[in-house]
Amino acid sequence: MLNGLHLPHLRQVRRWPTLDGRATIALSLVLFAVVFVLRISDPNTGDGEGVLFLVPMGVLALRFGLRGAFAGAAVGFALLVAWGTLDDSVDLALTWYVVRATTLFAVAIILGTFVEHRRRLEDGITRYYDASLDLLVTADASGRLTRANPAWERTLGYSPEMLHTTNFLDLVHPDDRAATEAQLQRLIADGHPVVGLRNRWRRADGSYRWLEWNASAGGEGSVHGLARDVTALHEAEDQLANNARTLEAMIAERTRELDDARAQTLHQLAIAAEYRDDETYQHTERVGHVAARIALGLELPAGQVTLLRQAAPLHDVGKLAIPDRILLKRGKLTAAEYDVMKTHAELGARLLSSGSSPVLQMAAVIAATHHERWDGSGYPNGLDGESIPLVGRIVAVADVFDALIHDRPYKKAWPLELAIEEIARCAGGQFDPRVVGAFMSLRTELGELSDELADVEGGRVLAGVPGGAAVYTIPRRRGEFLEHIDRHAPRAAPAVRGRLR
């Protein structure tokens, strides 16, 4: 049977017995003669010659196949006829001869067919073994290669003789040796097959090739393995991984560029909204900066602070739809004009809500809620308390504070201290007391905010210089401030994140 047969020794099986054709025929004739002599000389052998003739028939079948088996059957039958003729004491009926002939030739067909089938099977396996691109190998428990097909020489350049005297671990790359040995020991110990193991094997010229292995345990501690040269595949995978890293870096760079472009677009849109009623055109940036500082005081997560810094300047974008006669009117608005002015919150939210980016979505919330009041008397929806989104409550304080300390078409700038006191007075009414508390914690450093926004405008600082209004200026290092927020803003706990909703 083939189950116990290890390639490449199939050729040796096919050559068995090792006698050539003439010697095989001579041996078969001698065996036939011995059986015939035994039959003539010993009547007690009975019908034993039918069985004994199978031995020379088998010898001929193994050497010549079906033809040899038929020849052996013919010789055996001829000897039976000769025995019946020469021995006068034997009177054999025709039926006896027919039965003997049928038996011998039936056995010859079975034996010859089996040998021919086995030979064709061996030929096919041998051709596959020799021509296979996969590396087929058998190793013993010590790691010595006992059998290897020609693919080993084609792939690694080693002759079969050299491989059979080599411990395979000596050919494995030193960096892969420990993992390979561990897999081998596990395979021998518990019979768990090895599937998809990759390691590097040294070629005869000193270079290395990547092989991928499947292996299973054989009898007596042996291991049967099949390996495939996957060097090209491994190099392609490395190239793909490198390309993926390069592509990831390119995407990250492109994302940064898009973020910068988006931030610039949002900045210009905010300026366009303020262009018509702010002589410095800096109100939006100042509100965004102060809102971010308040958010830091409330311990919002860094990501939320950054979004708020970018979204807050868009709080008044709805003013683009307000007529100049109302927006730029000096003095108090009539009730009808005030109703028109209040629509800028809803208009801004409607404009911004169509965007899908987190910044625009937050900006839409801010635009819709920065005129809501803590006591519920604000607009456009009359929200109160915690029902007002936190970002809207923060921007409400920053917006009013900046409007108080700067000239507007309808008012003159307030002194800094008076503006701070007004914010504190409105806590619990117009503003969220907690937000006001975070704002008031900045009181001692409000004079330093101008340094974070940009250079001091005309030598004036926010802390109120006699004869001049305190101002902020547009931040010239806006990106640095956002990076500062990301580095220093606390990572809020789940309870703090709940405040954002």
Side-chain angles (χ1 to χ4, degrees):
M1 298 296 290
L2 282 174
N3 293 341
L5 191 61
H6 299 298
L7 296 171
H9 297 289
L10 289 173
R11 298 182 188 83
Q12 295 181 10
V13 175
R14 289 190 55 189
R15 290 194 297 268
W16 189 92
T18 56
L19 299 176
D20 59 17
R22 292 182 179 180
T24 300
I25 293 173
L27 175 62
S28 299
L29 293 176
V30 170
L31 292 173
F32 275 122
V34 170
V35 173
F36 183 76
V37 170
L38 289 174
R39 186 66 183 86
I40 292 294
S41 60
D42 186 5
N44 295 327
T45 57
D47 295 335
E49 80 290 339
V51 176
L52 296 177
F53 282 155
L54 295 181
V55 176
M57 287 174 57
V59 171
L60 291 171
L62 286 175
R63 184 63 182 81
F64 299 104
L66 188 60
R67 292 180 304 165
F70 273 124
V75 172
F77 181 70
L79 292 176
L80 290 177
V81 173
W83 168 67
T85 303
L86 297 176
D87 192 341
D88 296 333
S89 63
V90 176
D91 184 15
L92 299 177
L94 178 62
T95 303
W96 186 89
Y97 287 108
V98 171
V99 171
R100 287 295 188 275
T102 302
T103 301
L104 289 174
F105 282 99
V107 171
I109 292 174
I110 294 172
L111 186 59
T113 301
F114 171 77
V115 171
E116 293 285 351
H117 177 72
R118 182 185 176 95
R119 183 172 297 173
R120 287 192 296 269
L121 180 61
E122 293 168 356
D123 285 339
I125 295 176
T126 302
R127 285 194 298 270
Y128 165 76
Y129 192 85
D130 290 342
S132 174
L133 297 177
D134 294 330
L135 287 72
L136 307 176
V137 65
T138 298
D140 59 24
S142 66
R144 187 177 64 88
L145 301 179
T146 57
R147 299 177 181 90
N149 69 335
W152 281 85
E153 186 170 7
R154 294 193 296 267
T155 302
L156 299 181
Y158 298 116
S159 65
E161 293 75 16
M162 189 275 178
L163 287 173
H164 293 161
T165 59
T166 301
N167 186 303
F168 80 89
L169 286 174
D170 295 336
L171 302 178
V172 177
H173 192 283
D175 293 343
D176 303 332
R177 197 167 293 164
T180 302
E181 186 173 13
Q183 290 277 13
L184 175 64
Q185 295 304 322
R186 180 185 178 190
L187 173 63
I188 294 175
D190 58 18
H192 187 76
V194 175
V195 178
L197 171 67
R198 284 191 183 184
N199 52 21
R200 287 162 288 183
W201 284 63
R202 187 178 70 248
R203 286 174 48 86
D205 60 7
S207 62
Y208 283 90
R209 306 290 293 180
W210 280 95
L211 301 183
E212 184 173 79
W213 285 90
N214 288 347
S216 59
E220 300 177 356
S222 63
V223 175
H224 303 296
L226 180 150
R228 181 165 296 175
D229 186 351
V230 293
T231 304
L233 175 61
H234 188 83
E235 292 174 351
E237 290 173 347
D238 283 345
Q239 184 64 39
L240 286 175
N242 292 334
N243 290 343
R245 287 191 290 268
T246 301
L247 182 59
E248 183 178 355
M250 293 173 62
I251 291 174
E253 179 63 25
R254 182 57 177 161
T255 300
R256 285 192 294 269
E257 293 176 356
L258 291 175
D259 287 342
D260 291 342
R262 181 195 63 191
Q264 184 65 22
T265 300
L266 296 177
H267 176 67
Q268 297 301 324
L269 181 60
I271 289 178
E274 290 299 318
Y275 181 85
R276 300 163 62 205
D277 69 337
D278 182 4
E279 292 180 357
T280 64
Y281 323 129
Q282 299 168 16
H283 169 70
T284 57
E285 286 291 342
R286 294 191 300 262
V287 169
H289 188 89
V290 174
R293 292 301 296 268
I294 294 173
L296 286 173
L298 292 172
E299 297 185 349
L300 268 64
Q304 291 292 322
V305 176
T306 302
L307 284 178
L308 179 59
R309 175 65 184 88
Q310 296 174 335
L314 295 171
H315 65 284
D316 277 340
V317 72
K319 289 182 177 179
L320 291 170
I322 304 302
D324 287 350
R325 61 182 175 80
I326 297 176
L327 184 66
L328 303 180
K329 181 180 179 179
R330 297 183 179 277
K332 187 174 181 180
L333 299 177
T334 66
E337 291 171 337
Y338 187 55
D339 287 339
V340 174
M341 176 63 76
K342 289 192 295 184
T343 62
H344 83 276
E346 184 178 355
L347 292 172
R350 188 184 306 170
L351 173 64
L352 296 169
S353 63
S354 61
S356 60
S357 72
V359 173
L360 290 179
Q361 291 296 316
M362 181 181 286
V365 173
I366 293 172
T369 60
H370 74 286
H371 282 295
E372 300 287 357
R373 299 169 67 101
W374 183 257
D375 59 10
S377 62
Y379 65 88
N381 296 312
L383 303 177
D384 64 350
E386 296 288 342
S387 63
I388 306 171
L390 179 57
V391 290
R393 286 178 266 152
I394 293 173
V395 173
V397 173
D399 184 32
V400 171
F401 171 69
D402 189 76
L404 288 175
I405 64 174
H406 287 87
D407 289 333
R408 307 298 284 179
Y410 50 86
K411 58 170 283 297
K412 292 295 183 179
W414 288 24
L416 176 65
E417 289 300 326
L418 185 59
I420 294 175
E421 291 175 3
E422 177 65 14
I423 296 295
R425 186 186 66 81
C426 293
Q430 182 174 356
F431 305 125
D432 179 355
R434 189 164 59 90
V435 175
V436 172
F439 171 80
M440 296 303 293
S441 68
L442 302 174
R443 183 169 187 166
T444 58
E445 57 182 284
L446 288 176
E448 301 173 1
L449 286 179
S450 59
D451 293 333
E452 295 183 3
L453 287 169
D455 299 331
V456 177
E457 180 181 342
R460 294 176 294 172
V461 296
L462 184 61
V465 178
V471 297
Y472 290 110
T473 56
I474 297 176
R476 297 177 183 175
R477 293 175 295 180
R478 184 168 179 267
E480 296 178 5
F481 175 68
L482 296 180
E483 293 176 1
H484 171 80
I485 289 175
D486 288 333
R487 288 195 303 270
H488 299 290
R491 269 54 181 174
V496 176
R497 294 192 188 100
R499 302 171 191 168
L500 300 178
R501 295 191 292 270

